[in-house]
Amino acid sequence: MKTESSSSSVMEFLEKVPLLHRLTSTSLKRIAQVLVFKRYERGDYVVGRDEEEMEGVYFVVEGQAQVLGPVGEENCSEFFLKPFDYFGRGIFGNVYAVDVVAVSQLTCLLLTSDHCHLLETKPMCDSDNERSLLERILYMDPLDLNVFRGFTLPNAPALGKVFGGQFVAQGLAAASKTVEFMKLVHSLHAYFLLSGDISSKDFNLNMLLLASTLLFSSESSLAVPIIYEVRRLRDGNNFATRRVDARQKGKTIFTLFASFQREQQGFDHQESNMPHMLPPETLVSRDEMLQRRMTDHLIPRYYRNKVATQYTAPLPIDIRFCEPNYSTEERKSPSRLKYWFKARGELSDDQALHRCVVAFASDLMYAFISSDPHLKKRMSAVPVSLDHSMWFHRPLRADDWLLFVMVNLTASQSRGLATGEMFNRKGERKECMVNGTVQLVVSLKQEALLKETVTSNPILDSKL
């Protein structure tokens, strides 16, 4: 690529940079307008460790550079930077004590620090009093007495297929709409049968546009809708039971059983205790952690590119890892994971909504701890949820911090089993305590399919 290239050539280059894959074309055009060309001769320092801070984010256009930082890694190929690689301050102004040296004639495009905000993705929740993204995801369009339609919104979590937590949350939301409001879900058991399609290909475009106009006028596009059919298995004085089948393109892709109970007084105790953890306000959010690592040139190039390619936008759930090294290649506790989480934005007081939001959040990283003990360098493994069970013990708020404690019990026959517990935040309020102990609000179990290599974009393929 010639350094005096036109803006269209710059755009073509930017579209191939992994860090920028998550951005819209409009954002890329804005970035292209403010980029600065930087040229270096062999041996020149692009960045010196003695400099107080870097100028911004650098994108390698031509030539090669080398990161001279980690001891003993100077000649590692993972620390050589080639065209389409990137390094620099990042979005949050990180400074790393390393040298970056040109090993040949080198041309870079520099996005200066005052323009790094262009790398930020659109927030996942509204800044005003409109419904949050989570509430829009959980909206169920009634089609008949026991039939509802749900959608996968463009900015909802997805990795080439419908996110499992969305199935659980939408299925529970549909079931809740058929139960009297005094009865709340106390347990659910879900089975993931087929992968859900998030594309609109081969679907009636007129129906899609109509639904978008009627339900989500602010959304530009929607995926193939999911039809949830609820079966009323039982309606008693204190309990109700529902079965929900989710269908897409005529196939049943997900099934959920849920039991609801009217609030009743009874015995109250618990044996599980919440482990002592730092408060979430003192921890770095998952999104900020990933944003930093995308431009941290002390992390191997292939890992940074992997993060940049998979990371699209902040989740509608704020996550704070208790172990700061989680999601790197060196995990201190590979069979266990603990993190704080809460919904972004403020939710209404509807307890049914809060339980649906927790159900949505419960599948975000649950399956991964089953494969973590077996990870190795450059290994590609994406666990797939097979079944998912939850027991709700006490009232909770999904827009207040909850601690999620997960333990990987075993893995065998290409399947892994993990358990989980959710605790409310420790406080002075008596309603948050059981005999002086922080309340256990949810217990969970999940079995996941573990494979070293996974088809990149499975659409309506069996998981078995």
Side-chain angles (χ1 to χ4, degrees):
M1 176 179 175
K2 295 183 179 180
T3 58
E4 309 300 335
S5 56
S6 64
S7 58
S8 60
S9 298
V10 173
M11 279 290 296
E12 184 178 346
F13 169 81
L14 295 179
E15 289 172 353
K16 298 179 182 179
V17 177
L19 177 66
L20 307 179
H21 287 175
R22 69 197 195 284
L23 300 181
T24 64
S25 58
T26 301
S27 297
L28 290 182
K29 290 178 182 178
R30 292 174 180 172
I31 291 173
Q33 293 172 353
V34 297
L35 288 172
V36 178
F37 276 99
K38 304 284 285 189
R39 301 178 179 85
Y40 305 91
E41 297 297 325
R42 180 178 180 180
D44 287 349
Y45 278 71
V46 183
V47 174
R49 70 181 67 193
D50 295 329
E51 296 181 12
E52 293 186 1
E53 63 179 39
M54 298 180 185
E55 296 182 75
V57 176
Y58 298 77
F59 304 98
V60 180
V61 178
E62 288 182 334
Q64 193 174 23
Q66 184 177 9
V67 178
L68 303 177
V71 177
E73 296 286 357
E74 286 82 358
N75 296 318
C76 178
S77 62
E78 295 300 341
F79 294 94
F80 279 88
L81 303 173
K82 302 176 181 179
F84 308 115
D85 285 337
Y86 47 89
F87 60 96
R89 287 190 63 202
I91 299 172
F92 295 92
N94 304 57
V95 179
Y96 305 102
V98 296
D99 297 325
V100 180
V101 179
V103 295
S104 67
Q105 285 189 336
L106 180 70
T107 301
C108 293
L109 288 172
L110 171 65
L111 182 66
T112 57
S113 301
D114 54 338
H115 292 112
C116 280
H117 65 277
L118 296 175
L119 296 175
E120 297 178 7
T121 49
K122 182 180 179 181
M124 294 293 281
C125 60
D126 297 324
S127 57
D128 52 25
N129 294 325
E130 295 179 2
R131 288 186 302 173
S132 67
L133 173 64
L134 275 171
E135 290 180 282
R136 299 202 302 273
I137 290 174
L138 293 174
Y139 176 83
M140 293 285 100
D141 181 26
L143 301 181
D144 205 339
L145 180 61
N146 298 309
V147 182
F148 303 87
R149 179 169 55 188
F151 293 91
T152 303
L153 303 186
N155 49 356
L159 287 174
K161 58 185 178 181
V162 177
F163 165 54
Q166 176 181 316
F167 276 131
V168 179
Q170 289 184 337
L172 179 57
S176 299
K177 289 184 176 296
T178 69
V179 179
E180 58 180 292
F181 74 94
M182 293 297 293
K183 294 176 183 175
L184 294 171
V185 62
H186 71 87
S187 69
L188 65 83
H189 305 274
Y191 294 89
F192 303 91
L193 307 179
L194 298 171
S195 298
D197 193 348
I198 62 172
S199 70
S200 56
K201 184 178 180 181
D202 299 328
F203 184 69
N204 189 318
L205 183 59
N206 291 330
M207 181 184 295
L208 202 59
L209 293 176
L210 177 61
S212 177
T213 302
L214 295 177
L215 303 177
F216 309 101
S217 58
S218 61
E219 308 293 345
S220 58
S221 62
L222 297 170
V224 180
I226 305 168
I227 304 301
Y228 294 88
E229 182 176 350
V230 182
R231 298 184 186 180
R232 304 176 185 235
L233 302 182
R234 179 196 181 195
D235 280 297
N237 291 330
N238 294 313
F239 287 87
T241 307
R242 298 291 186 265
R243 171 177 173 168
V244 182
D245 292 319
R247 294 189 176 87
Q248 197 177 56
K249 297 182 177 180
K251 297 182 179 180
T252 301
I253 58 179
F254 171 82
T255 295
L256 176 142
F257 292 89
S259 181
F260 300 78
Q261 181 189 17
R262 186 188 304 272
E263 183 178 0
Q264 293 176 282
Q265 297 298 319
F267 301 114
D268 195 0
H269 83 281
Q270 70 180 52
E271 294 298 324
S272 296
N273 294 322
M274 185 181 79
H276 177 70
M277 291 291 142
L278 292 173
E281 292 85 358
T282 66
L283 303 174
V284 177
S285 72
R286 168 191 174 274
D287 297 310
E288 183 177 351
M289 183 187 301
L290 292 177
Q291 293 275 18
R292 288 179 176 180
R293 286 173 178 166
M294 283 189 282
T295 52
D296 181 353
H297 40 285
L298 294 184
I299 294 177
R301 184 178 68 249
Y302 76 89
Y303 179 78
R304 290 190 287 116
N305 287 341
K306 178 181 178 181
V307 173
T309 301
Q310 294 182 351
Y311 181 82
T312 54
L315 295 171
I317 302 293
D318 189 355
I319 293 176
R320 309 288 176 95
F321 291 111
C322 298
E323 291 89 1
N325 287 333
Y326 186 79
S327 79
T328 68
E329 296 200 331
E330 298 178 358
R331 299 184 175 95
K332 293 183 178 179
S333 303
S335 296
R336 297 174 181 267
L337 176 61
K338 296 181 283 290
Y339 64 76
W340 295 96
F341 76 93
K342 71 172 183 176
R344 296 184 188 274
E346 185 176 351
L347 302 176
S348 68
D349 292 330
D350 183 4
Q351 183 62 202
L353 169 64
H354 286 267
R355 298 191 183 201
C356 288
V357 170
V358 168
F360 177 91
S362 66
D363 193 41
L364 284 171
M365 298 180 188
Y366 202 0
F368 283 90
I369 64 168
S370 293
S371 61
D372 281 354
H374 310 282
L375 291 181
K376 54 190 176 184
K377 189 174 182 179
R378 291 186 177 277
M379 174 180 171
S380 176
V382 179
V384 179
S385 303
L386 291 176
D387 58 71
H388 191 89
S389 298
M390 300 180 69
W391 293 266
F392 297 84
H393 308 303
R394 298 172 176 88
L396 53 84
R397 287 199 67 91
D399 53 1
D400 196 1
W401 290 108
L402 298 170
L403 180 67
F404 197 174
V405 180
M406 311 175 201
V407 179
N408 169 29
L409 295 182
T410 185
S412 178
Q413 300 293 313
S414 76
R415 303 187 314 276
L417 179 66
T419 63
E421 294 179 324
M422 293 182 184
F423 298 87
N424 59 13
R425 188 174 186 184
K426 187 174 183 178
E428 301 299 328
R429 296 176 299 170
K430 292 183 179 179
E431 63 268 23
C432 292
M433 310 291 283
V434 178
N435 297 326
T437 303
V438 177
Q439 286 182 348
L440 172 69
V441 292
V442 182
S443 296
L444 309 92
K445 280 192 176 182
Q446 185 181 89
E447 189 176 42
L449 179 66
L450 310 178
K451 289 187 177 181
E452 184 168 343
T453 56
V454 180
T455 304
S456 59
N457 191 25
I459 300 299
L460 289 178
D461 294 329
S462 174
K463 295 186 177 186
L464 303 180

